[in-house]
Amino acid sequence: GRPVQTTSKILTKIPFGLGDWVGAQIQKMIFGDLSKYGLRIRKEYPAVVLRETGKTPVIDIGTIQQIKAGNITVYPDIDRFTEEGVLFVDGRSAKFDAIILATGYTANILDIIPDLDISHLDQNQLPRQLEWSGKWKGLYTIGFNNYSLGGILGTVYDDSKKIVKTIAG
């Protein structure tokens, strides 16, 4: 298809917020009603959310199709982690072999894991290492080395290869 960034650039040139409305209609037409799959849809137009919060609307590369096909399950917010998995805010619980937290640009890792040993965090409260040990063996953090000259996506790519190699043994 057409890259969303190209369409967005065109829509920003349409006056009086009409581009925002057109963008929202395109999103509805392409994705349909996602609330029935457990995805909360903001009432604000996607471009307004981006401008006001810096949060990027969904840029889909097959995820929505997999959710609709039942291959990916959407869960509500996490209340807390348990020994075997997760307890959700709606009272449901589920067991998981692995949990991936996509925290965005600000991890607030101490909000997610409040009893984490802060000596493993740098001055910005970002993890200093990819692989954790002791009580947190099996915890891997990726994409926090923002000091790399290769850029964040290059860092995530390189780190993911190291983590996969570690997990695979």
Side-chain angles (χ1 to χ4, degrees), residues 91-166:
R92 284 188 288 166
S93 63
K95 295 180 181 181
F96 295 98
D97 295 328
I99 298 171
I100 299 171
L101 299 172
T103 60
Y105 294 106
T106 53
N108 298 331
I109 197 162
L110 293 174
D111 291 345
I112 299 166
I113 309 171
D115 60 338
L116 192 67
D117 180 357
I118 61 170
S119 70
H120 295 286
L121 305 177
D122 69 11
Q123 71 275 9
N124 297 313
Q125 294 195 347
L126 297 176
R128 294 176 195 240
Q129 69 280 329
L130 296 176
E131 182 180 3
W132 295 69
S133 59
K135 176 180 178 181
W136 297 107
K137 183 166 177 50
L139 173 65
Y140 301 90
T141 52
I142 189 170
F144 292 105
N145 181 4
N146 295 327
Y147 313 110
S148 168
L149 296 177
I152 189 65
L153 292 179
T155 299
V156 167
Y157 178 77
D158 292 341
D159 288 354
S160 65
K161 289 194 314 187
K162 292 174 190 171
I163 290 171
V164 167
K165 186 176 179 180
T166 301

Side-chain angles (χ1 to χ4, degrees), residues 41-102:
I41 307 303
R42 295 181 70 116
K43 294 185 184 346
E44 301 90 356
Y45 294 134
V48 171
V49 172
L50 177 61
R51 283 193 300 270
E52 293 180 358
T53 69
K55 293 181 180 177
T56 306
V58 170
I59 300 175
D60 184 48
I61 54 171
T63 305
I64 300 298
Q65 180 182 355
Q66 293 299 314
I67 290 169
K68 288 179 175 181
N71 298 324
I72 295 175
T73 303
V74 177
Y75 288 93
D77 290 344
I78 295 172
D79 179 50
R80 63 186 161 87
F81 293 100
T82 64
E83 292 264 336
E84 297 177 337
V86 173
L87 178 66
F88 298 99
V89 294
D90 67 358
R92 284 188 288 166
S93 63
K95 295 180 181 181
F96 295 98
D97 295 328
I99 298 171
I100 299 171
L101 299 172

